[in-house]
């Protein structure tokens, strides 16, 4: 059974996730966003619009209701365009406790490929037949229409390639969402590199792909936790300012 975390610990872990994504080069200036649901509540933590990932602290996080109302934080730092999908997914998927949205060159490039992510690396095999694809439709600005469309497409999947836009990953924990984000980025980088050098890449058989995705996702009982602990150790070696309850001035 997974541990039920306190609000303070969720704040700290989400701030750490922002810092880790910055460390891994998964941020896009002040754009994109990571969120974490509060257990037993219809609200989630998310960073204030305008901060860099490397600046986020536990104390700077906003608390937003799944219907868009602000519980903690300043309205001027609230990004309705970005957060519509978060609320919709949390409403539709009660088991989901973390949502990560990223824009990376590799992720967008693979989303632009007609066939999406190809099963040509072990990283990619984590996602075999497990990716939803959302056609580009400009910014997601309507909580009840476009956000709900995203949630509908993610009804039975934890990963979405948003065509011409970016990536959305879901997890029952923050570390699970980060696990998918990290492995998907490496899968996308590998695909871009491969297709730039060979016309027809080697692809495992469907039987091998199906067996591989099962093996890879059952390799550990708490997906992403081992990697998460190692990333936290690295953050602490670099300095633990993400734990601060002081907001950015």
């Amino acid at each position: 059974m997974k541990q039920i975390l306190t609000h303070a610990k969720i704040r700290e872990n989400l701030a750490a996730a922002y810092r880790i994504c910055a460390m891994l080069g998964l941020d896009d200036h002040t754009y994109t966003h990571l969120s974490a649901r509060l257990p037993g509540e219809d609200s989630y933590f998310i960073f204030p619009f305008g901060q860099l990932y490397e600046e986020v602290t536990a104390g700077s996080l906003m608390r937003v209701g799944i219907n868009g109302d602000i519980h903690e934080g300043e309205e001027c730092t609230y990004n309705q365009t970005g957060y519509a999908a978060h609320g919709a997914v949390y409403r539709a998927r009660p088991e989901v406790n973390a949502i990560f949205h990223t824009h990376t060159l590799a992720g967008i490039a693979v989303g632009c490929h007609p066939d999406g992510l190809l099963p040509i690396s072990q990283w990619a095999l984590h996602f075999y037949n497990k990716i939803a694809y959302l056609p580009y439709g400009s910014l997601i600005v309507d909580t009840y229409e476009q956000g709900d469309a995203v949630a509908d497409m993610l009804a039975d999947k934890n990963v979405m390639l948003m065509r011409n836009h970016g990536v959305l990953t879901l997890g029952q924990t923050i570390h699970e969402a980060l696990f998918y984000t990290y492995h998907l980025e490496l899968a996308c980088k590998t695909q871009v590199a491969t297709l730039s050098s060979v016309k027809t890449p080697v692809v495992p058989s469907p039987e091998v792909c199906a067996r591989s995705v099962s093996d890879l996702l059952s390799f550990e009982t708490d997906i992403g936790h081992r990697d998460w602990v190692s990333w936290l150790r690295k953050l602490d070696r670099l300095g633990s300012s993400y734990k601060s309850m002081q907001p950015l001035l």
Side-chain angles (χ1 to χ4, degrees), residues 51-199:
Q51 282 194 359
L52 299 172
Y53 277 26
E54 66 191 44
E55 296 175 320
V56 175
T57 66
S60 70
L61 294 168
M62 300 178 62
R63 186 161 66 93
V64 179
I66 61 173
N67 292 316
D69 49 319
I70 300 170
H71 295 180
E72 296 177 26
E74 297 295 330
E75 188 168 359
C76 63
T77 63
Y78 178 71
N79 180 5
Q80 177 64 35
T81 300
Y83 305 159
H86 289 258
V89 173
Y90 284 133
R91 287 195 302 273
R93 298 280 300 275
E95 82 284 8
V96 167
N97 293 305
I99 301 172
F100 287 16
H101 174 48
T102 61
H103 304 155
T104 67
L105 293 177
I108 295 170
V110 170
C112 292
H113 192 285
D115 296 324
L117 185 66
L118 304 175
I120 58 174
S121 69
Q122 183 163 280
W123 290 306
L125 290 173
H126 286 83
F127 309 103
Y128 183 68
N129 288 338
K130 290 184 175 294
I131 297 181
Y133 292 88
L134 179 73
Y136 187 71
S138 189
L139 300 176
I140 298 174
V141 295
D142 191 302
T143 301
Y144 298 101
E145 293 182 9
Q146 291 170 291
D148 287 342
V150 171
D152 288 345
M153 295 184 71
L154 284 166
D156 61 350
K157 292 180 171 63
N158 287 332
V159 176
M160 170 179 279
L161 281 174
M162 308 170 83
R163 300 284 194 186
N164 315 101
H165 180 174
V167 170
L168 206 65
T169 55
L170 319 179
Q172 293 188 47
T173 61
I174 291 171
H175 52 263
E176 182 181 9
L178 184 57
F179 177 91
Y180 295 142
T181 301
Y182 172 74
H183 284 81
L184 184 61
E185 175 68 5
L186 292 177
C188 290
K189 285 182 174 179
T190 301
Q191 180 167 320
V192 170
T194 301
L195 295 183
S196 69
S197 59
V198 298
K199 183 176 181 180

Side-chain angles (χ1 to χ4, degrees), residues 202-214:
V202 175
V203 180
S205 69
E207 293 78 16
V208 169
C209 291
R211 185 172 72 247
S212 296
V213 68
S214 176

Side-chain angles (χ1 to χ4, degrees), residues 6-59:
T6 64
H7 289 193
K9 193 62 179 178
I10 293 171
R11 278 184 177 275
E12 183 180 305
N13 285 349
L14 184 59
Y18 276 101
R19 299 292 186 100
I20 292 166
C21 283
M23 182 173 65
L24 296 173
L26 296 171
D27 52 342
D28 175 19
H29 193 48
T30 63
Y31 305 98
T32 73
H33 21 80
L34 320 177
S35 71
R37 188 205 297 262
L38 281 71
E41 296 188 21
D42 289 335
S43 62
Y44 57 90
F45 288 127
I46 197 162
F47 85 145
F49 194 40
Q51 282 194 359
L52 299 172
Y53 277 26
E54 66 191 44
E55 296 175 320
V56 175
T57 66

